[in-house]
Amino acid sequence: MNHLFSPYTIKNLELKNRVVMPPMCQYSVYAEDGIPTSWHQHHYVSRAIGGTGLIIVEMTDVEPAGRITNRDLGLWSDDQVGAFTKIVDEVHQHGAKIAIQIAHAGRKAEDAETPVAPSAIAFDENYKTPRALETEEVKGMVEKFRLAVRRAVQAGFDAIELHGAHGYLIHQFTSPLTNKREDEYGKDLTKFGVEVIKAAKSEMPADMPLIMRISAKEYVDGGYGIEESIEFSKVFKEAGVDMFHVSSGGEGPIGADGRPGTHASYQTPLAREIKKALDIPVIAVGRLEDPILANSIIGNEEADLVAVGRGMLRQPYWTLEASKTLNKKIELPEQYELAFKH
């Protein structure tokens, strides 16, 4: 039976365990040029030393106006590639694999002078009203995703994750709440996502996995639920997605009847439903920092990988501690072996 420290392989990606560090924005590019800093270097490499199987670099944007804030990472320029390569190389030295989340914030781009979106609908009264993209601009946005993925591949990443969740641009096109277009991208709400997936795959080696993060439920009045997300995920799988990273929410103010849970593992049932309906690998995420709980999700085959976010922010060596809690023997940094002897 598999457990949290069983190895896992998807396409050419061989992981030493099932622990994932999910993407979490650091808002720490103080030069506002999109280039990773020494903070990012230490932040990610420390989790590799800490035993994490797969690290996913935070939301990295395809154009300057696509950032949540001007202090976010970017891959819209070849000048940004080298700093990412340094992180990748050092993470690899410590036995972890590393992916990167490619994204555009759309109407949630807080620092953009005029955000862009499928339709001119603000997130709420605290956000700017975005400008609706022209049809040709949408096609141009697909190209920007393609080029960002090309740069990520050049930087040496082991996998690519597309951000189709949390109310950012791909999610905005997928949701009937935010896509009121009358062109081809409004008649088919999956069209933009499918084109981005195909563009990404065109730049990736055939044996490199493509992950897509989705919000499987919106929690917004009139928003979609698991039945609808299963249907659009089937389309995205057909387009080339190899694994779904199943989250929820983010597309609007929480509705009266849609409040998400705050308990441990509240999103895991969504991951389980996607996995079962599509017969595809999934990453579960959301308050999974209890090692016994995380281990049970793998053992019960609810998900293939488990992402630990806030728990790993608090403890870079969460994975090493989890191995001790679960009494699983793993390869430790030799400098730390003394601390783990019984």
Side-chain angles (χ1 to χ4, degrees), residues 264-334:
S265 197
Y266 73 99
Q267 293 178 148
T268 302
L270 300 172
R272 183 176 61 237
E273 289 297 312
I274 295 288
K275 177 179 173 63
K276 180 180 177 182
L278 275 67
D279 189 24
I280 192 170
V282 298
I283 304 172
V285 66
R287 298 186 180 273
L288 303 179
E289 61 264 30
D290 181 337
I292 296 172
L293 173 61
N295 189 53
S296 73
I297 290 169
I298 300 300
N300 291 329
E301 299 183 346
E302 296 179 277
D304 301 273
L305 303 175
V306 171
V308 178
R310 296 179 190 182
M312 208 170 283
L313 288 181
R314 292 193 298 271
Q315 170 54 285
Y317 307 125
W318 183 92
T319 309
L320 301 183
E321 289 290 340
S323 73
K324 188 169 178 64
T325 299
L326 297 171
N327 198 28
K328 299 295 183 183
K329 193 169 184 179
I330 65 169
E331 185 175 349
L332 297 161
E334 62 180 26

Side-chain angles (χ1 to χ4, degrees), residues 123-195:
F123 181 79
D124 62 24
E125 65 276 4
N126 298 313
Y127 281 77
K128 300 169 187 173
T129 298
R131 177 180 64 81
L133 290 159
E134 299 291 339
T135 301
E136 288 306 309
E137 289 180 304
V138 178
K139 297 181 186 299
M141 193 66 72
V142 174
E143 178 69 3
K144 290 175 182 178
F145 271 89
R146 184 182 70 80
L147 292 174
V149 171
R150 172 187 286 184
R151 295 182 184 106
V153 172
Q154 290 173 346
F157 285 98
D158 301 298
I160 303 296
E161 177 171 287
L162 296 175
H163 201 345
H166 301 164
Y168 299 119
L169 190 64
I170 296 175
H171 185 179
Q172 291 164 29
F173 272 93
T174 307
S175 175
L177 290 171
T178 45
N179 186 346
K180 306 292 186 182
R181 301 175 69 90
E182 296 182 354
D183 66 356
E184 59 197 280
Y185 293 98
K187 292 173 183 173
D188 178 0
L189 301 187
T190 65
K191 183 175 176 61
F192 179 68
V194 165
E195 290 186 356

Side-chain angles (χ1 to χ4, degrees), residues 57-123:
V57 170
E58 68 204 77
M59 180 170 170
T60 301
D61 299 287
V62 303
E63 66 172 358
R67 295 172 288 179
I68 302 172
T69 78
N70 288 343
R71 290 184 172 181
D72 290 1
L73 294 175
L75 265 176
W76 61 79
S77 167
D78 292 344
D79 294 337
Q80 296 160 326
V81 173
F84 284 101
T85 300
K86 285 179 61 180
I87 294 173
V88 169
D89 289 347
E90 195 165 351
V91 163
H92 284 163
Q93 287 176 28
H94 297 287
K97 298 297 173 68
I98 184 167
I100 186 169
Q101 186 184 73
I102 304 297
H104 190 293
R107 69 176 185 165
K108 294 176 82 172
E110 298 172 13
D111 288 345
E113 185 174 347
T114 305
V116 296
S119 303
I121 305 169
F123 181 79

